[in-house]
Amino acid sequence: MTVGPRPLFDVDPLRHRDRATIGVLRQAGPVVVLGSRQDVGVLDASALRRDEVEVRRRRGGGGAVLLVPEDCWVELWLPGAGGVTEDVRATACLAGEWWRAAFAAHGVTATVHRGGMVHHDEGAVACFAGLGPGELTILGRKVLGLSQWRCREGVLVSAVVAARPPEALRAYLAASAPRTPSLPDATSLREAAPQSSADALAASLRDEVSAAIPSLTSDNDVFT
């Protein structure tokens, strides 16, 4: 099912950008973001209404994420030129290395997952219940969720480091949804790097990407 919730943002303007672009974004309130092919029936509609939580859909695949204003949410557009690989896993691992270096700038040691998908079925329900290529762990606990949307003109890499424990998503999963026992294993920015803020971590990421792609531009508006 690919209809229902509104898109998280309009991706079409990105197709016309020939320079790598980064955006550091925030929602005004909590929103559950579904993967591109995820059925909205995985969510508990009454719980969402009770807590006034919006539902949106991203272009990238994978499972749901509970996005709150304090999260470190970054979108990175990599146009087709400029060294962007055609390999999906390599692109994810490249982005993961930039994020790993950003954490290192704050004294936090993270590891880039370079293998295949771990807990695939769980990750298809809740992003932080699985672990895919390019995503980060700290002491074995997932801290960074990644997804990609690929088109002829380039690749959009979406990333979230949750401010709160990612297990909070469970409050909005339907009782009939597949179980996600690995979800509590994920960690948050507050737990993994309490001395860092979302803004500071995003700024370090911007520095890392800019060092690799000097023509990088910052533009939040194109992602809204």
Side-chain angles (χ1 to χ4, degrees):
M1 180 175 178
T2 56
V3 296
R6 290 191 297 134
L8 186 56
F9 59 86
D10 183 6
V11 298
D12 286 338
L14 295 172
R15 295 177 180 269
H16 306 289
R17 299 183 75 93
D18 58 4
R19 294 179 65 181
T21 305
I22 193 169
V24 180
L25 307 172
R26 278 196 175 83
Q27 281 290 121
V31 57
V32 172
V33 183
L34 294 172
S36 59
R37 298 182 180 276
Q38 197 169 16
D39 193 322
V40 71
V42 74
L43 300 178
D44 182 337
S46 62
L48 293 165
R49 286 194 299 270
R50 179 195 66 215
D51 294 345
E52 299 182 329
V53 178
E54 286 189 82
V55 180
R56 299 286 187 89
R57 189 182 296 283
R58 65 179 179 271
R59 280 298 188 100
V65 174
L66 175 60
L67 195 61
V68 301
E70 307 97 294
D71 289 342
C72 185
W73 168 27
V74 178
E75 299 286 343
L76 178 61
W77 168 249
L78 300 172
V84 175
T85 176
E86 294 296 322
D87 186 300
V88 175
R89 180 176 296 193
T91 303
C93 290
L94 175 63
E97 277 297 329
W98 288 330
W99 276 99
R100 183 203 60 74
F103 271 101
H106 293 261
V108 178
T109 300
T111 301
V112 180
H113 178 66
R114 297 182 178 278
M117 188 71 192
V118 178
H119 300 304
H120 177 275
D121 291 345
E122 293 180 44
V125 178
C127 170
F128 278 88
L131 181 66
E135 296 182 322
L136 299 189
T137 59
I138 294 176
L139 297 177
R141 303 178 68 192
K142 179 171 173 176
V143 71
L144 173 75
L146 288 179
S147 69
Q148 294 183 52
W149 171 65
R150 307 175 75 87
C151 62
R152 183 175 60 254
E153 295 84 2
V155 182
L156 176 67
V157 182
S158 305
V160 173
V161 177
R164 306 175 186 176
E167 188 180 11
L169 172 68
R170 276 190 169 168
Y172 305 109
L173 294 177
S176 59
R179 294 181 63 249
T180 55
S182 296
L183 188 56
D185 295 338
T187 190
S188 67
L189 182 61
R190 291 175 183 172
E191 292 175 323
Q195 75 282 10
S196 301
S197 68
D199 285 342
L201 182 62
S204 295
L205 176 72
R206 189 186 300 113
D207 290 344
E208 294 298 329
V209 180
S210 182
I213 308 175
S215 61
L216 179 74
T217 62
S218 295
D219 186 349
N220 294 348
D221 291 341
V222 75
F223 300 104
T224 59

